[in-house]
Amino acid sequence: PDGKDGGGGGWLKAAVSTFQRVVRDLHPFWKLMSGLERAVVLEGAAGDAHRRVAVSRSVSLHVEFPEPLAPLPFTPSNPAITLLGPAGEVTGLETKISAFWAGHPSGTPETDLVGLLESMLGARLPLSSGAGSGSPEADKPICGICYSDILGGISCENPKCDYLFHKECLLEWLQSDQSSRQTFNTWFGVCPYCSDPIVCKTVL
């Protein structure tokens, strides 16, 4: 404290004022990110500056804003989109995204993040059926690939991941991933979420 403000609290008032301004300036960004809760969110939650959302049974996308203080209008680089999944499917979707932005080089008037993603991909995103509802349905275990209810199934052995998968869904995922390999009736690959090794026997 330098005593110039009579109580030495001027720095604190300035810090609080700066904090309040930043919070106010970030409100549009947080509002946009909260809109993603309508989708099936695989990573990230309220308060996180990024999300990974499901696109299909085998593809997801990671969303973040390099310029969170200026989230609108949407531009080719803000938000930054990274597609994750089998190369063949990802390449096709990347082509759609490039074509979308070729038609909107200066940005798009779209103000809904889910709407933007669906416009870029040319398809509807899977929507969450129980997020935030507080209903027992929201606590049911689901398959990490098709997002439908699951009893049993194959579990990732990484305790920090521990996702469950239908055997058929995991087999399809591994067969579509070029890094997977097959030995007799067993497929060896990586978990779609944490990339730890995972094994699935061929469904007979």
Side-chain angles (χ1 to χ4, degrees), residues 1-5 8:
D2 56 18
K4 292 181 180 179
D5 60 359

Side-chain angles (χ1 to χ4, degrees), residues 10-26 69:
W11 66 272
L12 180 57
K13 292 179 181 178
V16 170
S17 177
T18 299
F19 173 77
Q20 291 174 332
R21 186 183 72 251
V22 171
V23 169
R24 184 171 58 250
D25 292 346
L26 283 172
L69 290 173

Side-chain angles (χ1 to χ4, degrees), residues 11-203:
W11 66 272
L12 180 57
K13 292 179 181 178
V16 170
S17 177
T18 299
F19 173 77
Q20 291 174 332
R21 186 183 72 251
V22 171
V23 169
R24 184 171 58 250
D25 292 346
L26 283 172
H27 179 71
F29 164 71
W30 292 120
K31 186 176 180 180
L32 283 172
M33 294 300 284
S34 67
L36 277 179
E37 300 306 318
R38 305 199 322 268
V40 177
V41 177
L42 306 176
E43 290 179 8
D48 291 334
H50 68 94
R51 296 285 192 283
R52 185 160 75 96
V53 301
V55 174
S56 67
R57 286 179 59 162
S58 55
V59 177
S60 62
L61 59 81
H62 182 268
V63 184
E64 63 180 330
F65 282 82
E67 300 177 31
L69 290 173
L72 293 173
F74 297 129
T75 66
S77 59
N78 200 46
I81 306 295
T82 304
L83 288 161
L84 306 166
E89 293 185 53
V90 165
T91 299
L93 292 174
E94 287 175 338
T95 299
K96 290 184 177 181
I97 292 175
S98 296
F100 174 85
W101 286 118
H104 303 82
S106 301
T108 170
E110 179 69 68
T111 58
D112 175 67
L113 194 47
V114 170
L116 172 72
L117 296 176
E118 292 181 337
S119 295
M120 289 194 303
L121 298 170
R124 304 281 293 181
L125 291 177
L127 298 181
S128 173
S129 60
S133 68
S135 68
E137 294 293 321
D139 297 326
K140 284 187 176 181
I142 62 171
C143 172
I145 295 176
C146 72
Y147 317 114
S148 61
D149 294 347
I150 183 172
L151 291 175
I154 297 175
S155 173
C156 175
E157 295 184 3
N158 179 348
K160 293 183 179 180
C161 177
D162 202 32
Y163 269 93
L164 282 169
F165 309 100
H166 291 120
K167 192 172 187 178
E168 296 82 356
C169 292
L170 182 59
L171 181 63
E172 183 179 339
W173 163 272
L174 294 175
Q175 290 173 335
S176 67
D177 186 350
Q178 294 180 347
S179 67
S180 300
R181 59 186 176 82
Q182 181 182 16
T183 301
F184 298 108
N185 69 334
T186 303
W187 280 83
F188 299 85
V190 297
C191 171
Y193 289 84
C194 69
S195 297
D196 269 19
I198 197 166
V199 176
C200 182
K201 291 187 178 296
T202 303
V203 177

